[in-house]
Amino acid sequence: MAWSYNKRIKVIPGVHLNFSKKGISTSIGIKGASINFSNSGTKVNTNVLGLSNRYQFQNSKPRPIVVPDYPVSDHFPENIFSADIHEITSQNMQGIKEAILLAHNQKNELISDLVKIKRTLSVTKTKKVLSYMFLYGLINKNVRQNSERDIKAQQEAIHQVQRMIEKCHVNFEIDFDPQIKGKFEKVYDSFRQLTASHKIWDITSAHFQDRVATRSSASTVVNRREVRFSLKSLPYIHSEYQALYLKNANGADIYIYPTFIIMYTNETNFAIIGIDELNFNYTFTRFTETSAVPKDSKIIDQTWAKVNKNGTRDKRFSNNYQIPIVKYGHVRLTTQTGLQEEYEFSNYESTELFGRAFKDFQNEFI
């Protein structure tokens, strides 16, 4: 990999990302003890009174789920969806996941503290008001001064906690060299163009049908649901680059960052995958469109609602009508750990442009 940035980046206190030609790992810990997650396994490092020790645990990578590598036009599985979210995370990305969870837990604790401080402030203000009502605060000036001091301190504590809550995130500062940065910017630009496709579908299932029995020219029946793509970021990740957001109609949504991918359901239920582990394939498909043809699609052929074995019009049906065959873009995302998603796009040219840019960028990591 042609990295040009620092090999160790501070994420949040006690958490660092480590980059090298062997890949990405994450260290979690404080001075004297840390845990390191990487492809080679999990290591515990200790340093007490100048004596250093390192222990390596057996690699606990989840058992791979083999995804059949079928062509787009053949051997569709009945349903198309990813494995359970807890099985998908890559071993060398486990540390990043722990860092995000740590930021989430820290934020929740601070919010709880903020509620307590605000409650205490409310009680202090009430006591001050009551002291005036019963004239005690007017007689004993210390009561008033103490109340004002406590209120000021509690208000300052609220501001400090609020600022800390705003900083509860994982900050990724990645500085690409000019060549890689240029390639990623092409991915960004082409993705923006792809999001403008008139129709984007998540393919949720597909199965074969008997063409002779149905008198149809289509050998595969596809179930799909319309979704939208955009540039979007997760709340606990701060980066100069927004993620490429892919809506998933039947599972966790997909967020593609420059060096990793997040399958996200909620703040505690998500998976992280290295970009080098993603099998990314793009192509086109001839789709027999029985619905309205999107305005940015190209009709490349015609067929009939009922056809003979050789594809010609079946004249036995008096109300037989023509159906357009449209050229759509198709993207398939899979990993050995169980990610399996497919999308279809009304604009094939935008699909091809994004596919080429993404493959070119991804090759820098493989």
Side-chain angles (χ1 to χ4, degrees):
M1 293 186 293
W3 302 109
S4 66
Y5 46 83
N6 296 331
K7 291 186 178 180
R8 195 165 192 258
I9 298 176
K10 182 178 179 181
V11 180
I12 56 178
V15 181
H16 297 81
L17 293 182
N18 308 304
F19 296 89
S20 69
K21 291 186 177 181
K22 293 182 179 179
I24 305 172
S25 65
T26 309
S27 296
I28 299 178
I30 59 175
K31 185 177 181 181
S34 65
I35 303 175
N36 180 271
F37 301 90
S38 67
N39 276 328
S40 59
T42 303
K43 300 181 181 69
V44 177
N45 307 292
T46 61
N47 190 318
V48 181
L49 299 177
L51 300 176
S52 299
N53 288 288
R54 172 175 289 188
Y55 305 91
Q56 180 165 351
F57 292 99
Q58 184 176 356
N59 198 323
S60 58
K61 183 183 290 187
R63 185 178 180 180
I65 301 173
V66 178
V67 179
D69 189 18
Y70 59 86
V72 172
S73 58
D74 302 324
H75 310 300
F76 277 101
E78 185 69 22
N79 296 298
I80 302 172
F81 58 90
S82 298
D84 186 271
I85 204 74
H86 299 292
E87 299 176 350
I88 297 177
T89 295
S90 310
Q91 177 67 19
N92 62 332
M93 291 288 136
Q94 187 65 38
I96 299 179
K97 182 175 181 179
E98 294 294 336
I100 295 173
L101 289 172
L102 181 62
H104 168 70
N105 293 336
Q106 186 181 43
K107 183 175 182 178
N108 284 343
E109 291 175 2
L110 288 170
I111 290 174
S112 178
D113 291 340
L114 183 63
V115 171
K116 293 177 183 177
I117 298 172
K118 286 183 175 180
R119 188 182 298 124
T120 302
L121 176 62
S122 177
V123 172
T124 304
K125 288 181 176 180
T126 301
K127 287 182 178 179
K128 181 181 178 181
V129 172
L130 290 175
S131 69
Y132 281 107
M133 292 176 63
F134 293 102
L135 302 179
Y136 182 69
L138 296 175
I139 299 172
N140 189 343
K141 293 184 179 180
N142 289 333
V143 173
R144 183 183 63 186
Q145 292 174 352
N146 291 339
S147 296
E148 291 175 350
R149 180 197 61 199
D150 292 343
I151 290 172
K152 185 177 180 180
Q154 290 158 7
Q155 289 175 335
E156 178 60 27
I158 288 173
H159 293 319
Q160 289 182 3
V161 173
Q162 288 174 335
R163 287 195 294 268
M164 292 174 66
I165 289 174
E166 292 174 358
K167 295 180 180 180
C168 286
H169 58 261
V170 179
N171 186 33
F172 290 100
E173 297 177 359
I174 301 176
D175 182 21
F176 292 124
D177 65 29
Q179 178 183 349
I180 299 179
K181 185 175 182 179
K183 289 185 177 182
F184 187 71
E185 288 176 351
K186 287 183 179 179
V187 172
Y188 239 54
D189 292 341
S190 61
F191 183 77
R192 287 193 185 96
Q193 187 170 329
L194 185 65
T195 62
S197 297
H198 186 63
K199 294 286 185 179
I200 302 175
W201 298 278
D202 182 358
I203 300 177
T204 57
S205 68
H207 62 272
F208 289 105
Q209 70 174 353
D210 188 334
R211 292 176 55 192
V212 176
T214 59
R215 314 302 294 179
S216 172
S217 63
S219 60
T220 306
V221 176
V222 173
N223 293 318
R224 59 187 185 175
R225 291 170 61 183
E226 188 173 349
V227 295
R228 302 307 302 172
F229 287 5
S230 64
L231 292 174
K232 186 177 179 181
S233 293
L234 289 168
Y236 287 97
I237 294 180
H238 282 201
S239 172
E240 62 178 300
Y241 297 107
Q242 285 186 296
L244 314 183
Y245 171 68
L246 286 63
K247 177 68 177 176
N248 188 0
N250 61 344
D253 293 338
I254 300 173
Y255 292 77
I256 302 178
Y257 284 90
T259 56
F260 57 88
I261 298 162
I262 297 183
M263 295 284 292
Y264 184 86
T265 301
N266 55 49
E267 294 173 340
T268 58
N269 194 24
F270 59 91
I272 304 182
I273 305 157
I275 199 167
D276 58 324
E277 300 177 61
L278 177 69
N279 298 315
F280 177 91
N281 296 291
Y282 70 96
T283 185
F284 74 91
T285 181
R286 290 169 54 91
F287 195 90
T288 303
E289 186 57 85
T290 55
S291 300
V293 176
K295 59 184 179 182
D296 59 349
S297 300
K298 291 184 177 180
I299 298 174
I300 56 175
D301 205 347
Q302 296 281 347
T303 186
W304 298 89
K306 299 295 181 180
V307 300
N308 298 310
K309 289 183 180 180
N310 60 2
T312 59
R313 178 186 179 187
D314 191 332
K315 296 181 179 180
R316 293 177 300 174
F317 296 88
S318 58
N319 61 342
N320 206 351
Y321 56 92
Q322 278 193 309
I323 299 175
I325 297 176
V326 186
K327 185 178 183 180
Y328 288 151
H330 191 282
V331 168
R332 181 170 182 253
L333 310 172
T334 62
T335 67
Q336 286 296 310
T337 53
L339 185 151
Q340 182 176 329
E341 301 295 337
E342 297 192 26
Y343 293 95
E344 201 166 67
F345 305 87
S346 58
N347 192 317
Y348 167 71
E349 287 77 11
S350 294
T351 308
E352 184 180 36
L353 184 66
F354 171 70
R356 287 180 177 176
F358 189 88
K359 292 290 286 186
D360 189 36
F361 172 71
Q362 188 187 32
N363 287 337
E364 295 289 339
F365 300 82
I366 298 175

